[in-house]
Amino acid sequence: MAYDGYSQLKVLVIDDFDNFRMTICRMLQELGVEDVETAVNGAQAVRFSRRRSFDMILCDYNLGSGKNGQQVLEELRVNKILKHRCLFVLISAETSRSMIMATYDYEPDAYLTKPITSNILRQRLDRLLRQRQELLPIYDALDEDALDKAINLCRTCIDSDSRYTSQCQKLLGNLYLQTGALAEAETLYRKVLEVRALDWAQVGLAKVKQAQGEFQMADKWLREIIVNNPLCMQAYDVLAENCKKLGDDDQLQTVLHRAVEISPMSLVRQLHLAQTAVDNNDLITAANAWRRAVRLGQFSCRDKLENHLNFARTAAALFNEDVQLAQDLSRDALRVLSEIPQRFEMTSEVEAQALLVESQVLAGQGQKSKAEEILREVESTVGEEPAGLSIDTQLDQVVALKALKKDIPAKKRLDDIIERYREDEKALVKIDRLLEEPLSEHNRQRVAKLNRGGIGLYEQGRYKDAIDAFKQAKRLFPNHLGVHLNLVQALLGEMEEFGRDEGYMDLCLATLKKVGCRVTTGHAQYKRYLQLQDKVKNLGLKQEGTRDVE
């Protein structure tokens, strides 16, 4: 059945090619549309959408320089410019899976592939507009933020056995979750699933369980959904949220890593993976994810200064872990830092941050003179006192000093920062990355939990499991000497029980070497360090016993 209301529509057509733009306009006019506006690029399209409301937007994916069609939709949704009643149709000649998967994040109402004929356009628009016409009262209620009214309208639509019942059920389920009506949401989703195993209903039911605090059950269901449909991106997103609620940061990173493999052009997921990898002290994953996020972020409304600085920070930090990879990334990092003035508003602090991070990168590359010159330039501008600077800028200054082996002034600055932020838990979490033992309550509990778990496994004689636990703790808290020594003790336990292993021995020696570079005669762990060092040297000789893990 044809839609008969084309003459009342206000339509925006977005394409950088005049011929295609005019062709679509002509097709719309043949359908009866009288009010058609055109835009030649993404920025113009956003301006027009702010100025007036449209009933439908037809947007090409490739818009030349500037925003692409997906980024136009992103900005319209993120900034709540696009009303629920407005249909957004994305058009493209490209059909790659990565591009199509990326459209999930902001869900266009339809996706049309070129070439487009008048008949194809009419058929697709007829279906979309008939659905829009019937659900328009619900959309208007949502635009008015009248959620109770929208819920009642959805119920009425479902009770009338509308041909759009499924769409109304999906909307109603989301509204129930949004308003905390969990029992009603569960009943709805179970009723839908009795008829057909729809992904959105399965994910919705898992979200209900998550909201009810049944995280293990939600986890199980979401993983089953992914097994049955590996391309269900919403399941990955909800599973990632569930892992966060369970406090399982390793699983969170695993889920996000799989999600970005499937949808590599999703900026949101790249950013989530990058930050999670930072929290897990996985600098290689973090640096690569930040780099992809910076590239994907160009022209996106989600492009933030911090993404650029964080990429360069992790690239600089990698010099302590993988020099070759750090060298490769550092070249990109310097380029990204150089582009900051063109992409962001510059303040004196932004300039100071960018220069301090540049100093870190250059120090890692071995360009000590240039790095020192930049550091002096910053200090001459902001002074040695940190008054008025953010915690991030202050810590960047400490890291730059450390990168240049200026350990005494770095320690003094860090001590001053600790004293200044002693009561600020969020700041302490950031400061912890530079400390031997964490000060924040969050990280103290985290390292204590990991240590207790490893110690328990060690005491049970489950040395390999204890080794894995302490490896995780060492990765998360690379400056914690007690964790390092616990790892050595677990490695010794395994080898004393089952025989010498060259891989384990190499790890013992590398770990003790790192501890030896930082432990001093008066340190609380010094005596234990010497004892474990002797045990490693004498491995293979019968011991009178082993010291308990501390």
Side-chain angles (χ1 to χ4, degrees), residues 303-306 308 339-346 350:
D303 190 26
K304 307 294 182 187
L305 169 68
E306 278 304 303
H308 297 243
E339 292 171 354
I340 285 177
Q342 287 76 52
R343 295 178 72 164
F344 302 98
E345 181 182 352
M346 296 299 290
V350 168

Side-chain angles (χ1 to χ4, degrees), residues 172-371:
L172 183 57
N174 287 332
L175 286 166
Y176 280 149
L177 287 169
Q178 190 176 343
T179 57
L182 301 182
E184 290 86 345
E186 181 168 359
T187 299
L188 172 70
Y189 290 130
R190 289 191 183 278
K191 184 176 180 180
V192 171
L193 293 171
E194 286 173 2
V195 178
R196 188 178 173 191
L198 296 172
D199 287 341
W200 62 262
Q202 292 174 324
V203 172
L205 192 54
K207 290 171 76 172
V208 170
K209 291 304 168 188
Q210 184 185 86
Q212 291 171 337
E214 298 182 42
F215 303 125
Q216 296 294 349
M217 183 175 291
D219 185 272
K220 177 177 179 291
W221 288 356
L222 289 162
R223 291 181 190 279
E224 288 176 359
I225 295 167
I226 289 169
V227 167
N228 294 324
N229 182 2
L231 301 183
C232 181
M233 299 313 300
Q234 189 182 17
Y236 289 97
D237 294 340
V238 180
L239 181 57
E241 183 183 345
N242 205 63
C243 290
K244 188 71 174 177
K245 291 180 181 296
L246 284 167
D248 193 341
D249 291 334
D250 280 340
Q251 273 300 305
L252 171 60
Q253 184 170 326
T254 299
V255 170
L256 290 170
H257 193 272
R258 178 59 181 145
V260 299
E261 284 181 338
I262 296 169
S263 182
M265 293 175 65
S266 169
L267 173 59
V268 173
R269 294 189 193 89
Q270 292 288 1
L271 290 172
H272 197 177
L273 174 60
Q275 188 55 59
T276 300
V278 168
D279 294 340
N280 286 337
N281 204 39
D282 182 351
L283 295 179
I284 294 174
T285 298
N288 283 315
W290 284 126
R291 177 163 63 174
R292 288 190 292 268
V294 167
R295 186 181 69 251
L296 291 169
Q298 188 176 23
F299 307 118
S300 168
C301 64
R302 292 188 180 276
D303 190 26
K304 307 294 182 187
L305 169 68
E306 278 304 303
N307 302 342
H308 297 243
L309 292 174
N310 282 333
F311 166 50
R313 286 178 181 126
T314 50
L318 263 178
F319 278 105
N320 298 318
E321 191 170 304
D322 188 326
V323 174
Q324 183 56 57
L325 180 58
Q327 287 286 5
D328 293 340
L329 288 169
S330 64
R331 289 188 286 273
D332 272 352
L334 291 175
R335 176 185 55 77
V336 166
L337 289 170
S338 71
E339 292 171 354
I340 285 177
Q342 287 76 52
R343 295 178 72 164
F344 302 98
E345 181 182 352
M346 296 299 290
T347 64
S348 58
E349 178 149 11
V350 168
E351 184 176 2
Q353 277 187 305
L355 287 171
L356 288 168
V357 177
E358 182 182 359
S359 177
Q360 296 168 29
V361 175
L362 291 170
Q365 289 182 329
Q367 299 189 57
K368 184 178 177 181
S369 297
K370 192 170 182 181

Side-chain angles (χ1 to χ4, degrees), residues 3 11 27 44 61 77 89 197 265-266 290 299 334 341 421 482:
Y3 176 74
V11 181
M27 289 180 181
Q44 190 179 55
Y61 182 86
R77 291 221 192 277
V89 179
M265 293 175 65
S266 169
W290 284 126
F299 307 118
L334 291 175
Y421 291 95

Side-chain angles (χ1 to χ4, degrees), residues 123-140:
Q123 288 171 7
R124 293 299 300 275
L125 294 187
D126 278 350
R127 286 198 295 270
L128 288 169
L129 290 164
R130 286 198 303 270
Q131 176 179 312
R132 173 185 177 272
Q133 185 175 34
E134 184 152 341
L135 302 185
L136 197 57
I138 299 173
Y139 295 151
D140 287 343

Side-chain angles (χ1 to χ4, degrees), residues 59-63 67-74 88 90:
C59 182
D60 191 50
Y61 182 86
N62 189 346
L63 298 175
K67 291 181 183 294
N68 60 37
Q70 178 68 10
Q71 290 169 330
V72 171
L73 177 57
E74 172 191 53
F88 192 101
L90 198 60

